[in-house]
Amino acid sequence: MANHTYDGNYSSIQDKRNTNNYNLSNDVMRELPRIIYYEFIGLVALLTNGSLVYFIATRRKLWKLHNVKLCSMSMSGILFALLFCLPYPLTVIYKANLLCYLKNPLRNFLMSCICLHLALIAIDRTITIVKPLHYSKVVNRKYTFISLLIIWLSALFGSFYPVITFRTQEKARSKNLCPTSGNASDELVYTIGFYCIFFLCPLLTMLPCYGYILVVAQRHLKKMNNHEIPTYNPLQNRTSILIAKRFKAAIPFLIITGTFIALTVPHIICSMIALILGSLPFNVRIQNFRLLISCLKASDYGLRELAFSYPALNPLIYVYFSRDVRHEITNRFNDSIAQVSRTVITAATIRS
């Protein structure tokens, strides 16, 4: 009798293991395209952001305050690759782990950090146009480092607020090791507040700033074409030169900001529509069922991955459109090639 009981328990344990292994293999196969995509994006983001930080840190000519902000934003990209993209397979294979629990807060933290950096850079570029002669007095080291510290701390607190409040309570109540959400009403209030503070407000800062820069640049170009800027006035002449020079310097930041908006805003809009519709009464959801399903599909299969590709693309876009950084990188490669050529020639001379 005892043997029959033992055999029954053993077979039930084996069946449970086989079922778990089958479910795990199904999850891995279903998530395989996404796993490959995130691994690729993670490697590219690590390579591009790491290379940009290295070049700026090792070339003294690039030690400028706006490049300090860019390095800080690139560190967000490096952390996004290390903490979200590359460990993504672990969250699929091992669902009951700390990384699975922290996956969404880490993602929100680093993406909001990038958005806040772009808003700070937009304000910085606007100050260069508004106060071209007094820029160094307004934007100094103290201002820069305090601004960056506020960005990192506010993004960290805003992203991990649910982990230390209602999601922790949900975890204790459900005894689930990886709850990605808590109470539905709490999640709705938090998500709307988070997106408004860390995405909508920065976007509403970027758009007027770069719009103002484009208007000033167009006005300035018109004056130059009409010869309305007096060449005999040294102050106005110097101001004109500085505005033209700093508008050119703002172009790479304008392009990376536009790319960020184009890649991330569609995902945010679809996610917010799906979240708000999903929280409405059942009859309203049924009436808007097709819109709800379309937003969920668009967000889960394409728009989210497109938004998360930005940290990998950002350094490439900046280097391509920034003449100073591109010039330094070209010089570095030319010096390396010249050094290798000299080494080969010296070795050939010694042999002969």
Side-chain angles (χ1 to χ4, degrees), residues 123-294:
I123 295 170
D124 177 70
R125 294 298 91 191
T126 306
I127 294 172
T128 63
I129 302 297
V130 175
K131 301 280 186 181
L133 298 176
H134 306 287
Y135 170 74
S136 58
K137 294 180 181 178
V138 178
V139 181
N140 50 32
R141 287 186 180 182
K142 184 179 178 181
Y143 161 83
T144 300
F145 288 114
I146 290 175
S147 301
L148 293 176
L149 182 63
I150 291 172
I151 284 174
W152 282 94
L153 292 179
S154 59
L156 182 67
F157 177 76
S159 303
F160 281 86
Y161 174 76
V163 175
I164 58 178
T165 54
F166 54 87
R167 284 184 195 165
T168 304
Q169 295 168 2
E170 184 71 17
K171 181 178 179 180
R173 185 164 51 248
S174 65
K175 296 183 179 179
N176 181 9
L177 293 175
C178 187
T180 55
S181 62
N183 182 271
S185 61
D186 291 338
E187 287 290 338
L188 178 64
V189 172
Y190 165 74
T191 306
I192 292 175
F194 179 81
Y195 278 117
C196 287
I197 295 171
F198 292 99
F199 285 94
L200 183 60
C201 289
L203 287 174
L204 292 177
T205 303
M206 296 178 218
L207 293 175
C209 285
Y210 285 116
Y212 176 78
I213 289 172
L214 289 173
V215 168
V216 170
Q218 188 178 11
R219 247 188 240 156
H220 183 71
L221 185 62
K222 188 177 179 181
K223 285 183 180 180
M224 288 180 68
N225 291 335
N226 295 335
H227 305 286
E228 295 177 11
I229 298 174
T231 54
Y232 58 83
N233 190 329
L235 184 61
Q236 287 193 11
N237 199 20
R238 187 186 168 198
T239 303
S240 173
I241 293 170
L242 282 174
I243 289 175
K245 183 179 177 181
R246 284 170 179 171
F247 174 71
K248 288 181 181 178
I251 289 175
F253 297 106
L254 178 62
I255 293 170
I256 63 175
T257 301
T259 306
F260 177 81
I261 292 171
L263 293 179
T264 59
V265 168
H267 166 62
I268 293 172
I269 291 173
C270 285
S271 300
M272 292 302 297
I273 291 174
L275 182 68
I276 293 170
L277 285 178
S279 64
L280 294 176
F282 182 73
N283 58 339
V284 180
R285 274 182 280 168
I286 291 297
Q287 291 173 3
N288 300 277
F289 182 73
R290 190 170 294 177
L291 176 60
L292 177 61
I293 295 300
S294 299

